[in-house]
Amino acid sequence: TVHEPVDERKECFAVAERAAGGAFDVTVVDGAGHVLIEVRGYETVEVPLSVDEKLLDPFRTAAATTA
């Protein structure tokens, strides 16, 4: 759901929380905390391709520092 237009020149933040069944609820807010966008029940799917493990290192590092 889009609540307000997103101004690409301003800083925005995404807040993701686990929902039922492994999905995620995501809220995008601006610097003042106004809700811009809400996504409920977002899910990903596994891609049937192999990926060079080295390419995943930056994502693992980022996830480890925010957990």
Side-chain angles (χ1 to χ4, degrees):
T1 305
V2 176
H3 293 275
E4 296 182 32
V6 176
D7 184 343
E8 295 177 8
R9 297 167 294 171
K10 293 187 178 181
E11 194 169 45
C12 296
F13 305 90
V15 179
E17 299 177 295
R18 278 205 188 272
F24 291 90
D25 291 339
V26 181
T27 304
V28 177
V29 298
D30 65 13
H34 298 111
V35 175
L36 304 175
I37 300 170
E38 289 181 289
V39 178
R40 301 287 172 236
Y42 176 79
E43 297 181 70
T44 62
V45 296
E46 186 174 338
V47 178
L49 302 171
S50 62
V51 176
D52 181 349
E53 289 294 316
K54 285 278 188 200
L55 296 174
L56 298 175
D57 287 345
F59 297 101
R60 291 186 178 119
T61 300
T65 59
T66 60

